Every structure is written in C-alpha cells, then in structure tokens.
Amino acid sequence: MLTIIISIIAGLIAGFSLSAAWQGHPVWAWTVGVLVFFAINILINLWLKKRLEAIFNGVQKHLTETQDRLRRKINMMQSKLQGGPKLQASLEAEQNQSVLEAIGMLDQVAPLKKWNLLAGRQADTLKAQLYYQLKDFAAADPLLDKALIMDPSTLCMRMAREYKRGMMDKVEKSFKKGVKRFKDEKGTLVYALYSWILVNENRIDEAVVVLDEGKDSTENPVLKQNWEHLVNGRAKRFSNAPLGDLWYSLQLEQPKMIRSYAQSPYAGGGMGLGGGKRHFR
C-alpha cells in the first residue's frame, strides 16, 4: 500500500514542479511525472523483493539444514542397526521444532505488509504449508482459505481440508479450477485427490469419469491403474500409495513405513510442499 502512495506522491510532485518550470509544456511535464511514478514503484518493489527473498531463503536454509542433519542421524543409526519408537519420537520432535522455528522466522515479513499486501499473503501461504505439516489444522485452515495457489500441492491441501470440513461444494469448485490451471503431469495430484474423495464418498461412477479424464491428461500410470480398478469393479484396490510422498504429504492416509522427517516445503522450487514426508524402515 505504501508503495503506491509514495509513488503517486513522487509523481505528483514531479508533475507539478515541472509544470511550473516548463510553463506551456504541461504534456511533457506530466509525462515525466508518470515516469517518476513508475520508476519509484519499480525501485521500491525491487527492494521489497530482495528483502522477501532473504527471508524466504533463510527459512529454506533452516529447513534444509534440519533435513540434512536428520538424514545423517538416520544413516548413522541404521549403520549401527539402531532404531525403534524412541528414535522415531526423537526425530519427530526435532523436525517439529524446526518447523515451528521456521514459522517464527516468517514473522519477519510482517513489517513489509504495509509496503505490499501480497508480501503478507506469500508468508501466510508458507505458514499454512508448515502448519499443515505439523497437523495443526486449526492454524492452517484460515491461512489455506486465503492462500496464494501457486502449485498443485497447496491447492490439494486446501481441497483436503475442505473435504475434512464437509465442504464438498468447495472441493468440486477447487478441483475444476485446479485442472484448468495445472495442465499435464502437474495435475496428477489434483486428479488423484479428487478421485480418492469420490471413492470415499462411494461416488464410483463420478470417480471413473474423473480418472478417465485424468489418465489421458496426465498420462500417469497410477491414475490409469485406479481407473482400471474402478471400471472392473475393484474399488477396494483403488490406491494412491504408488504416488509416494506426493500423496502422503496430504496426510489423508498413513504409509506403512515409519515416518522419520519431512522434506523442506521449498524443495524443488515454488511454494509447494515438494516431496512431503520421508520414510525409513
């Protein structure tokens, strides 16, 4: 908001000043005023972008360092043939603490909201992803409702929570918007989630239609296999488990393997959850 206000003020000052200095040339004076408006706006946004990148990169670095540290611990324990519930609990606690610290780091964006409202939405979207990872849905839900949908994972988190809250009308709308926005293989998780929801609601015929479209659009073998199961009356064999971490990151089902630590939500770029949960035996 301040960015626009300052840019307008700078443009007006330039316009009025030049009009007074170049009497008889108002067009040129106000052309320069408009150019000043855009120049100031661009400069402030470049500064803001640099500040935001520094904060987001700091969060990414923090999560990645935790991920690497946990991986080293797992490898060391596995080499010593150690494991069990205590190790699992220790790893989960360390990971959760790291995520909470990352959420706290995102509070650094608060002073920048007055410069650009999107800065706050970007930070809140990342917070939503991290709260979701912690299964703190009371904190995640209001943030997801207003999140910037820049990737399929964030959209599917919103859809999953809409389903869990009994908002099937919103789930359907989110799905339709999602498959229009995320084409080809990017739409795999969107089709997988919505078909899973329909199967769980015993709306098998509708799930068949969704998967028929999805398998052709994404060319994903998991969607094709699930479509074959449904059209041949094998609904009990429907499973998104072959999608691995991509599917389990939505936390609608638990994998058979023990969860150890979570991948950084920034892995692979964008604002999505990346690979989601990692697992070990």
Side-chain angles (χ1 to χ4, degrees):
M1 185 62 70
L2 279 179
T3 301
I4 298 297
I5 294 174
I6 291 174
S7 298
I8 291 174
I9 292 174
L12 289 174
I13 291 174
F16 281 118
S17 298
L18 292 174
S19 292
W22 296 347
Q23 293 183 7
H25 300 283
V27 174
W28 285 107
W30 285 105
T31 297
V32 173
V34 171
L35 291 176
V36 169
F37 166 83
F38 284 112
I40 296 299
N41 190 65
I42 291 171
L43 288 173
I44 293 177
N45 278 308
L46 287 174
W47 167 80
L48 182 63
K49 180 181 178 182
K50 187 175 181 180
R51 288 288 305 276
L52 288 173
E53 286 180 346
I55 295 171
F56 295 150
N57 288 339
V59 172
Q60 178 180 358
K61 181 180 179 183
H62 174 74
L63 292 171
T64 301
E65 288 177 348
T66 300
Q67 178 185 345
D68 292 341
R69 184 171 63 252
L70 292 177
R71 184 186 294 111
R72 289 194 295 270
K73 284 187 178 181
I74 291 169
N75 292 337
M76 181 179 66
M77 294 299 179
Q78 288 180 334
S79 67
K80 296 180 180 180
L81 300 179
Q82 297 178 355
K86 288 186 177 180
L87 173 61
Q88 172 68 21
S90 175
L91 293 170
E92 290 281 359
E94 188 171 346
Q95 173 61 31
N96 290 345
Q97 180 59 37
S98 175
V99 173
L100 287 173
E101 291 170 358
I103 292 172
M105 293 170 67
L106 287 169
D107 289 339
Q108 299 175 74
V109 176
L112 303 178
K113 293 180 181 180
K114 59 188 177 183
W115 294 94
N116 190 318
L117 295 178
L118 283 180
R121 288 192 66 190
Q122 286 179 311
D124 286 347
T125 298
L126 294 177
K127 283 185 178 182
Q129 296 170 348
L130 294 172
Y131 278 125
Y132 194 102
Q133 183 174 318
L134 293 174
K135 295 185 179 180
D136 186 350
F137 300 124
D141 286 347
L143 297 176
L144 280 173
D145 290 340
K146 299 179 181 180
L148 289 171
I149 305 300
M150 304 299 291
D151 61 274
S153 292
T154 305
L155 171 66
C156 287
M157 287 181 193
R158 176 189 285 180
M159 288 175 61
R161 292 304 303 156
E162 288 171 343
Y163 172 63
K164 286 295 185 178
R165 290 184 285 171
M167 303 175 179
M168 279 302 297
D169 55 334
K170 289 190 175 182
V171 173
E172 184 176 356
K173 290 179 181 178
S174 295
F175 167 73
K176 290 180 178 179
K177 290 180 180 179
V179 294
K180 288 180 180 179
R181 180 168 186 177
F182 303 111
K183 303 294 185 180
D184 304 322
E185 68 276 2
K186 291 183 179 180
T188 296
L189 188 60
V190 182
Y191 281 107
L193 171 59
Y194 191 52
S195 60
W196 181 90
I197 290 173
L198 292 174
V199 169
N200 273 265
E201 293 292 301
N202 201 32
R203 294 161 59 178
I204 305 301
D205 291 341
E206 293 176 64
V208 169
V209 174
V210 168
L211 287 172
D212 186 46
E213 177 184 316
K215 68 181 178 64
D216 293 336
S217 174
T218 68
E219 298 184 354
N220 185 276
V222 177
L223 299 184
K224 181 179 180 181
Q225 184 179 59
N226 280 333
W227 175 80
E228 291 175 348
H229 286 325
L230 295 186
V231 296
N232 288 293
R234 302 190 300 263
K236 290 184 178 181
R237 296 182 63 181
F238 176 100
S239 175
N240 285 328
L243 292 175
D245 293 342
L246 184 67
W247 170 248
Y248 291 121
S249 68
L250 297 179
Q251 308 204 50
L252 293 169
E253 294 181 327
Q254 296 299 319
K256 294 181 180 180
M257 291 181 287
I258 301 174
R259 290 182 300 164
S260 60
Y261 65 93
Q263 185 178 3
S264 163
Y266 301 87
M271 297 170 65
L273 275 178
K277 295 288 183 181
R278 294 287 188 181
H279 317 286
F280 74 102
R281 293 184 184 277

